[in-house]
Amino acid sequence: MHRFDRKSKRLSWKILSYALQRIRRDYPLDRGRTPDELRQAAGVTITPTGIGGKRALQLWRDVLAPTCITVDHPRFLAYVPSAPTEAAGLFDVAVSAANVYAGSWQEGSGAVFAENEALRWLADVAGFSATAGGVFVSGGTAGNLSALIAARWNWRHHANGAYDNVRGVIIASRGTHSSIVQSARAMDADVIWVDTDPCGRMTGVATQFVIDTLSEHDKLRVFAIVATGGTTNVGVVDDLSGVGDCARNLNTWFHVDAAYGGAGLIAPSVRHLFNGIEHADSYIVDPHKWLFAPFDCCALLYANPQIARAAHTQHAEYLDSLHQDDAWNPSDYAHHLSRRARGLPFWFSLATYGTNEYQRSVEVTLDVTRAAARQISAHPDLELVMFPELSIVIFRRIGWSADQYYAWSDKVLNDGVAFVTPTTWQNEIMLRLCIVNPLTCAQDIATVLGTLK
Ligand SMILES: *Cc1c(COP(=O)(O)O)cnc(C)c1O
């Protein structure tokens, strides 16, 4: 079973040429089907004797794949899309073929070395010191949880046991991503909320205001303050230097969630918004969002990785041979053990095209977003709600009810025109475009806006 026989050799080429086509050709937007429709269309797929690779590939290519919405379509503008480069997508195939175990230096040194090169670049663009380091995890959710576990370990460690049975507190804003609340739930910690300014930004002043209302005991329970470098809903960057100052004054961990917006660190036109990130204890950015890598890939960086290592290293008799020297083991820096070398497609793309191309591509998406804002402002039936700070723009269709927004969203997807979903901002349903694909052009935006009649 482990090797194709002579007859099946052609199947290898079929699979590879499908992969190549899928990466190279423009694919339609496609749309989902119900479980019943898929059951009907796919038939029985798992049988005692197997349906054969040819049939299984056909099933994927002709029946299943077309029911998955094409995330890298230039008019996929919902949620946060993903737009891998050809180099990144193809190299992901190579990474799968090599099946490297990238949890330890012992087993995956070259892969870990290359991942660390990419992490180093991400540390440098944030202004982290030479001793910074981290690991690629599956996504922002895993990255935030792992960073907060390190933060809590640090808090308890410095209390010499005094807080071992004390519930910790995370200070975050109403604009933070849902994964911060989910992390708090998983860790059985409390979240104390900071109200945002009218743009959805967490400021240092508002953070200090909340800290000042806390009892002395509650102040001691705070193990992390989280700011967001590009909120997911509207793409606003928090006052990182102000919030960071609050964290330093309170002597607590400062985490920056830049899962979506971190690409802005390499774009000269918006880099200043991130000033203060250099003082963070940890930060995350998802290359699978706006840095042109395929799913799933989040870079998690720590200013002092030794703390993360103390918090996350797993100890077991059979693992001890991994820890005999000072080797860099990616497993030690997050809540995981086995891991694929998921940073390699990103590294390969970065190495192939160079950082200048990355910078240029991010600026292209920012330019198109600004053009979208201007088109919306000029449109008689639309109203721009906020000028975009990064690459998310929110706006109203004047006079529409929630039902009309949802009906329009369904229609343009069914027509294969675009994927745009409504959002809620300040208790009002409206539309939101998120642009991370350098192939999305002003004409694509005009096409979408043209359907809002
Ligand atoms: C997308 C996002 C996350 C979650 O990332 P996943 O990769 O989907 O787990 C966390 N924080 C922010 C700000 C995000 O935009």
Side-chain angles (χ1 to χ4, degrees):
M1 178 174 99
H2 275 72
R3 299 257 183 266
F4 282 154
D5 59 22
R6 194 172 280 277
K7 214 180 95 218
S8 309
K9 282 274 193 275
R10 287 186 47 219
L11 186 56
S12 325
W13 291 111
K14 282 207 163 95
I15 297 171
L16 284 175
S17 66
Y18 165 75
L20 204 55
Q21 271 186 12
R22 181 61 190 81
I23 284 170
R24 289 217 169 130
R25 282 221 319 248
D26 291 337
Y27 269 70
L29 196 53
D30 292 330
R31 66 188 175 90
R33 297 288 187 274
T34 65
D36 284 345
E37 287 169 330
L38 280 174
R39 168 59 52 224
Q40 187 82 32
V44 177
T45 69
I46 306 296
T47 66
T49 53
I51 61 172
K54 198 172 151 211
R55 171 88 189 105
L57 180 62
Q58 242 172 19
L59 205 55
W60 169 252
R61 192 191 55 208
D62 302 337
V63 177
L64 304 175
T67 71
C68 303
I69 304 179
T70 304
V71 182
D72 53 351
H73 189 285
R75 287 190 300 277
F76 185 123
L77 304 166
Y79 311 116
V80 181
S82 175
T85 61
E86 202 167 306
L90 285 173
F91 200 68
D92 207 15
V93 176
V95 172
S96 289
N99 193 33
V100 172
Y101 179 87
S104 72
W105 186 268
Q106 183 191 56
E107 288 154 280
S109 57
V112 175
F113 173 85
E115 285 191 312
N116 285 350
E117 293 270 286
L119 288 167
R120 184 66 249 163
W121 181 64
L122 291 172
D124 286 341
V125 298
F128 273 35
S129 77
T131 50
V135 61
F136 287 101
V137 295
S138 63
T141 300
N144 283 332
L145 176 63
S146 294
L148 290 169
I149 288 173
R152 187 176 61 183
W153 182 92
N154 194 46
W155 166 72
R156 286 204 169 129
H157 178 72
H158 286 292
N160 285 317
Y163 298 155
D164 284 3
N165 298 307
V166 175
R167 243 176 110 96
V169 165
I170 298 164
I171 293 180
S173 93
R174 297 282 176 192
T176 48
H177 188 263
S178 48
S179 57
I180 298 294
V181 177
Q182 180 53 26
S183 296
R185 204 176 297 147
M187 296 169 71
D188 204 19
D190 293 321
V191 180
I192 290 181
W193 297 106
V194 174
D195 284 328
T196 54
D197 75 5
C199 296
R201 182 181 292 104
M202 179 190 201
T203 64
V205 172
T207 306
Q208 193 56 50
F209 179 80
V210 165
I211 292 170
D212 290 342
T213 63
L214 298 179
S215 67
E216 285 313 304
H217 176 68
D218 279 351
K219 275 184 198 164
L220 294 172
R221 292 203 298 136
V222 178
F223 67 83
I225 300 184
V226 178
T228 310
T231 57
T232 322
N233 201 18
V234 296
V236 157
V237 182
D238 288 343
D239 168 17
L240 301 183
S241 65
V243 177
D245 284 345
C246 295
R248 253 191 321 287
N249 292 337
L250 196 60
N251 199 18
T252 194
W253 188 282
F254 178 39
H255 175 66
V256 176
D257 176 359
Y260 149 67
L265 289 166
I266 65 169
S269 71
V270 294
R271 177 59 181 85
H272 63 279
L273 299 171
F274 294 85
N275 288 346
I277 195 172
E278 66 278 10
H279 298 305
D281 294 287
S282 53
Y283 102 92
I284 64 160
V285 54
D286 278 357
H288 70 212
K289 284 180 171 170
W290 196 5
L291 286 172
F292 323 122
F295 297 119
D296 46 15
C297 186
C298 166
L300 162 59
L301 281 145
Y302 300 98
N304 181 353
Q306 295 316 315
I307 297 172
R309 182 173 165 162
H312 287 291
T313 300
Q314 296 190 24
H315 298 281
E317 296 82 346
Y318 73 97
L319 290 176
D320 285 348
S321 63
L322 288 176
H323 300 299
Q324 281 169 358
D325 52 22
D326 248 359
W328 184 274
N329 296 316
S331 292
D332 294 345
Y333 300 95
H335 182 68
H336 59 191
L337 186 61
S338 293
R339 62 181 294 274
R340 87 188 244 102
R342 60 166 56 82
L344 283 186
F346 173 58
W347 164 78
F348 186 81
S349 182
L350 207 50
T352 300
Y353 300 117
T355 57
N356 289 346
E357 264 312 292
Y358 265 70
Q359 175 179 318
R360 197 190 62 79
S361 296
V362 173
E363 288 289 2
V364 164
T365 57
L366 287 164
D367 279 342
V368 170
T369 310
R370 291 167 198 141
R374 287 192 297 270
Q375 287 183 35
I376 291 162
S377 300
H379 194 296
D381 300 322
L382 305 179
E383 202 167 63
L384 187 67
V385 170
M386 212 194 297
F387 197 82
E389 203 160 78
L390 296 177
S391 72
I392 295 172
V393 50
I394 57 168
F395 59 104
R396 312 186 166 85
R397 166 64 173 80
I398 298 164
W400 269 12
S401 65
D403 288 346
Q404 284 172 297
Y405 280 118
Y406 283 105
W408 170 83
S409 175
D410 288 345
K411 178 165 169 26
V412 288
L413 179 61
N414 284 331
D415 293 348
V417 174
F419 188 41
V420 179
T421 48
T423 190
T424 301
W425 171 247
Q426 293 174 344
N427 301 317
E428 184 189 341
I429 296 214
M430 56 184 67
L431 289 174
R432 168 183 175 280
L433 308 177
C434 179
I435 299 162
V436 301
N437 187 341
L439 299 180
T440 301
C441 60
Q443 184 54 52
D444 288 310
I445 305 299
T447 302
V448 175
L449 301 184
T451 63
L452 284 161
K453 288 188 280 276

